[in-house]
Amino acid sequence: MSSLAELTIVEAGKKMAAGEITAVDLAHACLENVEKKNKELNAYIEVFADVLEQAQKADERRKAGENHPLLGIPLAIKDNILIEGRVASAASKMLEHYVATYDATVIKKLREAGAVFVGRTNMDEFAMGGSTEHSAFGPAKNPHDPTRVPGGSSGGSIAAVAAHMALGALGTDTGGSVREPASFCGVVGMKPTYGAVSRSGLMAMGSSLDQAGPVAKTVEDTQLIYDAIKGIDPLDSTSIADGFYPAGIRNKKVGVPRALLAQGVDPDVKERFETSLEKLKAQGYEIVDIEIPSASLALACYYIIMPAEASTNLARYDGIRYGLSRKGATLAEDYAESRAEGFGPEVRRRIMLGTYVLSAGYYDAYYGKATAAREVLRREFAEALKGVEVITTPTAPAPAPKIGEKADPLSMYLLDIFTVTANLTGNPAISVPMGMVKRESAELPVGFQLTAAHGDEQALFEVGKALQ
Amino acid sequence: MVSIEDIRGLAQLARLKLAGAEEESLQKDISSILDYVGQVSAVSVSSEKEKPLLRNVMREDITTEVLGAREDLVKAFPTREGDFNVVRKIIQKDE
């Protein structure tokens, strides 16, 4: 029999409820795979020492009558989400020894549900990147081809699920950081509506863009994790309750922004995309062309707003209260040296870029314009979603690149072209596997992205299930 | 093209100490990224006058819950004397 770690969350839950397996069995199965694969894939930065004890507790809770769908399910947690008493480093030297002093709200909710935390996963430092190459603890690798990146920034969480080292995971998505690696590794990854999931206890990168998102092998499993973590939270003033937005329409129409796909998408990725559209057609969906005239501006807009917010958020890491601390001759040097040593090159680059676009004389030309473009984009999406249930694109224009292939930062940023939009507009979006493409001798997965109206995660799950 | 002086000025604003080689590579990277993101200048001004959909959401200025035990927060100080965080003297007497 294949490993228990290959079960879906739904299947594992049924087997546990029936008494066929225990949470401890599941934890053992995941740890076995960690033992076999993590050295090569570098998906986990740390595997927790108490996984089996956590699983044992979950089994006791089940015996006492509890039956939450995530009870006893082993999950991987991205290293920028706080778990009280454990190190949370954001894969940065800056926070290498930082111990979280409280639980993020998403962690508190998963703990109440009885999930088992396997470990903290590798990522691009402070979630800045699309490949998990920018980790202070070495790159994570793609389980389908270890010479390639798993995507990022939640690459460790996604690789852990794809390689059956956990049944599901949490990542964070600021510009595609859950969906793009899900596409590269052949799993499901979702970014909820902005505000649907509390950001309390997530390390802030772009505060108007960040959302924690679930990762799993199927849409059903993704939905289970999402249901467990969502909800309004007094600790995040931007969080919203169910029903905050009006209900999305149901007309069995799926929109395709054809103009956006006209160039820059690999031909075989486009073929898989068309095949998936045919699959939806066969199930009664009507495929319609839509126009989002400003969509081509999304990436430029994102790479102004994100660094502006990130450079502001990262100002807190100054070596004074916590984190890496170096002493120079003056206070200014204390800051400059702590930050130079604590932050890696990509983080320094984005801090510099953010500082530039916010500086006097450039603010109106960059940040002001980007904010205006974001408004236009949001209106265009809202308009388009009055006529269709979901908007679809490939998740990324290409499959996973080789490690080191995208050394030029701009070429790496271009992989985010289809994912950043949902972060700018706040819409929920999901990546669902749409088949494989061949590069050299490797078969590589690619993802199909669905975007729905604000608050209409249900549409993502419904149409997403039709694609499986 | 951003100048090397601009890069040095930005590094100072951002409180980052940069090595010479990094100044040059940042000059190149930031210039090419700015060329790309400059596309947003195409956005028309009229659209900027509409009522914004995005707004700041502030919470009430009251304590709801204290996150983290005091002792755990104190433990994270880089240099500690008792329960105090040791910081550099900022205001100094004129010599």
Side-chain angles (χ1 to χ4, degrees), chain A residues 104-440:
Chain A
T105 298
V106 288
I107 293 297
K108 212 192 297 177
K109 283 172 178 270
L110 290 176
R111 217 189 265 290
E112 281 160 15
V116 171
F117 305 132
V118 181
R120 54 190 177 92
T121 55
N122 208 353
M123 55 186 281
D124 288 295
E125 184 179 0
F126 285 105
M128 297 186 192
S131 65
T132 315
E133 290 169 291
H134 302 293
S135 162
F137 307 108
K141 316 268 169 68
N142 191 315
H144 293 269
D145 175 1
T147 68
R148 291 175 186 271
V149 305
S153 66
S154 312
S157 281
I158 277 83
V161 174
H164 308 295
M165 297 190 276
L167 269 62
L170 279 191
T172 61
D173 190 315
T174 304
S177 281
V178 166
R179 290 162 286 151
E180 182 241 35
S183 171
F184 288 177
C185 294
V187 299
V188 180
M190 176 203 183
K191 184 205 80 82
T193 305
Y194 183 77
V197 176
S198 169
R199 288 179 296 116
S200 175
L202 267 54
M203 290 182 197
M205 174 183 165
S207 301
S208 75
L209 307 159
D210 296 342
Q211 272 290 283
V215 182
K217 281 174 271 199
T218 65
V219 173
E220 288 83 354
D221 286 2
T222 306
Q223 189 172 2
L224 287 179
I225 302 175
Y226 171 69
D227 284 342
I229 60 174
K230 69 176 180 178
I232 193 163
D233 177 16
L235 296 171
D236 175 1
S237 63
T238 61
S239 64
I240 54 172
D242 272 345
F244 180 86
Y245 289 105
I249 61 153
R250 288 293 177 274
N251 61 2
K252 285 260 173 184
K253 282 187 183 169
V254 168
V256 184
R258 288 278 170 200
L260 193 61
L261 309 180
Q263 52 188 15
V265 182
D266 286 1
D268 48 0
V269 172
K270 211 162 167 194
E271 266 170 44
R272 297 296 165 282
F273 177 70
E274 299 294 345
T275 310
S276 292
L277 289 177
E278 288 301 320
K279 212 165 157 184
L280 288 177
K281 234 190 215 167
Q283 293 184 63
Y285 287 93
E286 186 188 342
I287 313 299
V288 297
D289 289 358
I290 56 164
E291 275 182 47
I292 304 188
S294 304
S296 58
L297 285 177
L299 196 66
C301 181
Y302 176 78
Y303 275 96
I304 293 169
I305 290 172
M306 175 274 299
E309 293 189 10
S311 68
T312 311
N313 273 323
L314 267 62
R316 75 190 66 181
Y317 303 107
D318 57 6
I320 302 292
R321 289 155 300 154
Y322 56 92
L324 187 135
S325 178
R326 290 284 172 267
K327 291 278 178 248
T330 62
L331 182 65
E333 280 186 23
D334 294 352
Y335 294 146
E337 287 184 18
S338 300
R339 289 163 63 79
E341 195 175 326
F343 293 140
E346 178 64 17
V347 174
R348 294 202 291 268
R349 184 153 44 228
R350 294 200 194 186
I351 290 176
M352 291 283 282
L353 190 60
T355 306
Y356 183 92
V357 298
L358 289 178
S359 56
Y362 301 107
Y363 182 91
D364 289 335
Y366 291 100
Y367 190 76
K369 283 284 186 184
T371 309
R374 184 182 192 173
E375 286 285 331
V376 174
L377 206 56
R378 192 174 158 127
R379 284 174 211 281
E380 288 177 3
F381 258 71
E383 197 50 45
L385 284 163
K386 282 180 190 163
V388 295
E389 288 185 26
V390 290
I391 296 171
T392 63
T393 63
T395 307
K402 292 239 176 193
I403 293 169
E405 185 185 328
K406 305 267 179 189
D408 164 48
L410 194 56
S411 71
M412 178 58 85
Y413 298 171
L414 289 170
L415 287 176
D416 304 339
I417 192 132
F418 298 129
T419 49
V420 296
T421 324
N423 300 82
L424 290 168
T425 61
N427 291 82
I430 197 169
S431 176
V432 181
M434 63 173 184
M436 312 292 270
V437 296
K438 206 169 167 144
R439 291 290 178 279
E440 295 173 0

Side-chain angles (χ1 to χ4, degrees), chain A residues 84 98-103 108 200 208 234-235 237-238 244 296-297 299-301 303-304 319-325 327-337 339-340 343-345 347-349 351-353 355-357 359 362 365-366 368-370 372-376 378-379 408-410 413-414 417 424, chain B residues 1-2 6-19 22-23 25-45 47-60 64-79 85-90:
Chain A
E84 187 179 341
Y98 172 75
V99 177
T101 58
Y102 63 96
D103 274 341
K108 212 192 297 177
S200 175
S208 75
L235 296 171
S237 63
T238 61
F244 180 86
S296 58
L297 285 177
L299 196 66
C301 181
Y303 275 96
I304 293 169
I320 302 292
R321 289 155 300 154
Y322 56 92
L324 187 135
S325 178
K327 291 278 178 248
T330 62
L331 182 65
E333 280 186 23
D334 294 352
Y335 294 146
E337 287 184 18
R339 289 163 63 79
F343 293 140
V347 174
R348 294 202 291 268
R349 184 153 44 228
I351 290 176
M352 291 283 282
L353 190 60
T355 306
Y356 183 92
V357 298
S359 56
Y362 301 107
Y366 291 100
K369 283 284 186 184
R374 184 182 192 173
E375 286 285 331
V376 174
R378 192 174 158 127
R379 284 174 211 281
D408 164 48
L410 194 56
Y413 298 171
L414 289 170
I417 192 132
L424 290 168
Chain B
M1 184 89 173
V2 178
D6 287 340
I7 294 292
R8 287 182 188 141
L10 286 174
Q12 206 175 359
L13 286 171
R15 302 285 185 269
L16 283 174
K17 188 176 176 179
L18 299 179
E22 191 175 6
E23 286 177 351
S25 70
L26 279 171
Q27 183 187 14
K28 189 176 119 278
D29 292 345
I30 291 193
S31 298
S32 78
I33 296 166
L34 287 174
D35 279 348
Y36 180 82
V37 301
Q39 291 178 47
V40 293
S41 60
V43 177
S44 72
V45 181
S47 59
E48 294 170 47
K49 285 182 184 151
E50 289 182 55
K51 190 169 165 270
L53 296 165
L54 272 183
R55 60 190 173 87
N56 280 321
V57 186
M58 303 291 186
R59 67 167 170 81
E60 291 294 315
T64 47
E65 190 180 335
V66 178
L67 291 175
R70 185 170 188 280
E71 178 53 28
D72 293 335
L73 296 169
V74 170
K75 259 193 235 161
F77 293 160
T79 323
N85 184 13
V86 180
V87 295
R88 191 187 282 278
K89 191 155 75 181
I90 297 171

